[in-house]
Amino acid sequence: MIRFENVGLRYGVGPEILRDVSFHVAPKSFQFLTGPSGAGKTTLIRLFSLSLKPSRGLISVFGKDSATLEKNELPALRRRIGVVFQDFRLLDHLTTFENVALPLRVLGKDESSYRADVVELLRWVGLGDRMHASPPVLSGGEKQRAAIARALISRPEILLADEPTGNVDPPLARRLMRLFTELNKLGTSVVIATHDINLMNQFNARRLVLEEGRLTVYD
């Protein structure tokens, strides 16, 4: 599905942020990406999501080399990858429903073709009664769940979540993790970037550990 082979990344003439990173994410797999602050987790997520290209090495995404992709190939590949960002990136002038539906609207789909799916997904993440609210009146946990729903609405084959439980209390963190594990059971590969050791210890999952730009895999 996604494979990194001896990947390195640097900005400009500065030192490499990532060095000789090699691993793969298999279909229907579940893994944590962890490491200390500044280790490069968010940068690795950006490489995963095709927002960055490596300085060296190979990143293969669904069998295609990310370094040689044409611009017109990127949208279709990105639709197969759902991303939950740390800062949510919800649009304040849109309702929760409209934010979640946005990826489908961008594709030019008519609301009648996706309305039922958006409503069902919002109920699944516990926002059935907040679909007409705008982001400024949502709590942090509600914004997080809206961002997750938006990432899922296109039914991606892989979900990348950057610190999805970092700004919520422990009960909500457990609820979000249940959502991710249920999604994984339905066939989506899940990669969760987190520094929460206690959270990871609750799951028997593969760990990708970044430290000083190098990655170690613990199966």
Side-chain angles (χ1 to χ4, degrees):
M1 180 172 283
I2 294 183
R3 182 178 297 275
F4 282 54
E5 295 181 13
N6 299 315
V7 168
L9 179 74
R10 61 161 39 94
Y11 293 110
V13 297
E16 283 194 321
I17 298 171
L18 299 175
R19 297 188 294 279
D20 299 316
V21 172
S22 297
F23 68 97
H24 76 282
V25 173
K28 303 180 182 179
S29 61
F30 189 106
Q31 45 265 303
F32 290 107
L33 170 62
T34 189
S37 297
K41 296 189 297 295
T42 298
T43 298
L44 194 60
I45 290 287
R46 293 185 66 196
L47 286 169
F48 260 119
S49 61
L50 304 177
S51 298
L52 285 177
K53 289 186 177 182
S55 304
R56 62 180 177 85
L58 171 71
I59 300 178
S60 174
V61 181
F62 304 114
K64 294 181 177 289
D65 181 352
S66 69
T68 61
L69 288 172
E70 300 290 340
K71 284 187 177 180
N72 61 2
E73 294 181 280
L74 285 172
L77 284 177
R78 284 174 174 156
R79 284 195 292 273
R80 299 170 71 179
I81 304 170
V83 185
V84 182
F85 299 99
Q86 276 186 280
D87 56 358
F88 312 134
R89 301 192 185 182
L90 301 174
L91 300 180
D92 286 349
H93 66 284
L94 300 180
T95 65
T96 304
F97 176 94
E98 291 166 339
N99 267 287
V100 173
L102 189 59
L104 303 179
R105 289 178 58 191
V106 169
L107 291 175
K109 293 190 176 183
D110 187 83
E111 183 175 330
S112 61
S113 70
Y114 61 72
R115 181 171 181 79
D117 290 338
V118 174
V119 170
E120 180 182 1
L121 183 55
L122 284 169
R123 288 173 177 162
W124 191 61
V125 299
L127 292 175
D129 60 345
R130 302 294 273 162
M131 66 179 68
H132 301 300
S134 58
V137 301
L138 297 179
S139 69
E142 288 171 336
K143 289 178 182 178
Q144 185 69 279
R145 282 177 278 159
I148 291 169
R150 183 183 56 193
L152 297 181
I153 192 61
S154 298
R155 299 181 182 178
E157 295 171 51
I158 182 168
L159 178 73
L160 312 173
D162 193 0
E163 298 285 359
T165 62
N167 298 308
V168 299
D169 58 31
L172 182 53
R174 289 192 292 270
R175 181 174 180 178
L176 292 177
M177 288 304 303
R178 284 197 295 271
L179 291 177
F180 292 133
T181 53
E182 286 301 314
L183 178 68
N184 179 241
K185 290 176 183 177
L186 294 173
T188 298
S189 291
V190 176
V191 180
I192 297 177
T194 182
H195 63 274
D196 190 337
I197 299 298
N198 292 329
L199 179 70
M200 289 187 287
N201 286 341
Q202 298 175 39
F203 298 88
N204 183 23
R206 188 174 184 232
R207 295 189 189 185
L208 313 174
V209 182
L210 261 179
E211 192 164 5
E212 296 183 354
R214 296 187 182 276
L215 187 86
T216 305
V217 179
Y218 297 93
D219 288 309

